Each structure stands twice: as C-alpha cells, then as structure tokens.
Amino acid sequence: QVQFVESGGGSVQPGGSLRLSCAASGSTFQNLDIGWFRQVAGKEREGTSCISKSSGTTYYIDSVKGRFTISRDNAMNTVYLQMHSLKPEDTGVYYCATVKCREFGYFLLSNYWGQGTQVTVSS
C-alpha cells in the first residue's frame, strides 16, 4: 500500500551535515507516523527518530538528540532527516518505515523496507 524511497546520503567528514529524504508512494502517507532507522554491517537496524503524522510528536534516541532533526512535508509525501555534527558512529544505511511514534519511543509497524541510503562519516 505504501512504499518508501530514501535518498540524500553520501560521504562526509566528522562534523559535517547531510539531509536525508524519504519519499512515500500511496495515498495514506498523511495518516502515517514515520521513523528513521539505520543499519551497520553485522548489526541489527537501530531506530534513530520518529515523527507523528501531523508533526506534533517527535522522538530521538539519546545519541542523536541535538544533532538530528526529523521533519515532514505531507504535501510532498516526504519525511526528512537533517543531520549535523556527524560522527563516524553515524555511518550506516538509513531507512524509513512506518511506526507508531510517541514522545518516549516508537513501535515498528512494518517489515517492508526500501533500498536505504548510505551515510559514511570518516576522516
């Protein structure tokens, strides 16, 4: 019913910035809470942040809080992740997915993932 296409990744030096985009297909986007996840080689996917359907609720894990900002443009069916002060440990493939977003955390609601977009932070 809904598919996501991630873009905006790249290679940056520590302290750099990137802006990721998650473009959604389908007509239900406005009713979805969306989360950004990341995965490094040999590790499970890790949720980093989420945003509710009307942007009234956001959540960030402690390691990214203050550096990452999640936002959305429902008219464009797109969720963004603005990333500042990037660290090598932020390296990974970033994905978006449907979640239930609350101020204390999130619940993953889908096991369907897009291609992801690669973020590499190195000196």
Side-chain angles (χ1 to χ4, degrees):
Q1 294 180 353
V2 62
Q3 292 181 309
F4 300 106
V5 178
E6 300 91 345
S7 62
S11 297
V12 297
Q13 295 181 345
S17 299
L18 286 171
R19 188 188 190 220
L20 309 183
S21 296
C22 170
S25 64
S27 60
T28 64
F29 176 80
Q30 293 180 343
N31 294 322
L32 301 177
D33 296 358
I34 304 296
W36 277 102
F37 297 75
R38 64 189 178 189
Q39 185 173 26
V40 300
K43 302 293 185 180
E44 296 181 346
R45 284 188 179 91
E46 172 191 37
T48 68
S49 56
C50 65
I51 187 168
S52 62
K53 60 183 180 181
S54 298
S55 302
T57 299
T58 58
Y59 168 80
Y60 303 90
I61 59 173
D62 288 343
S63 62
V64 309
K65 192 171 185 178
R67 300 188 298 118
F68 292 9
T69 301
I70 189 170
S71 62
R72 66 191 297 161
D73 184 343
N74 286 343
M76 295 296 296
N77 278 15
T78 302
V79 173
Y80 304 96
L81 187 66
Q82 181 66 58
M83 310 162 70
H84 294 295
S85 302
L86 284 164
K87 305 174 181 179
E89 49 262 48
D90 295 319
T91 295
V93 180
Y94 283 68
Y95 303 86
C96 53
T98 301
V99 303
K100 184 176 183 179
C101 189
R102 297 292 184 266
E103 63 182 5
F104 56 85
Y106 63 89
F107 300 94
L108 180 63
L109 299 182
S110 176
N111 288 320
Y112 295 92
W113 303 90
Q115 296 180 3
T117 186
Q118 176 71 46
V119 172
T120 302
V121 185
S122 62
S123 300

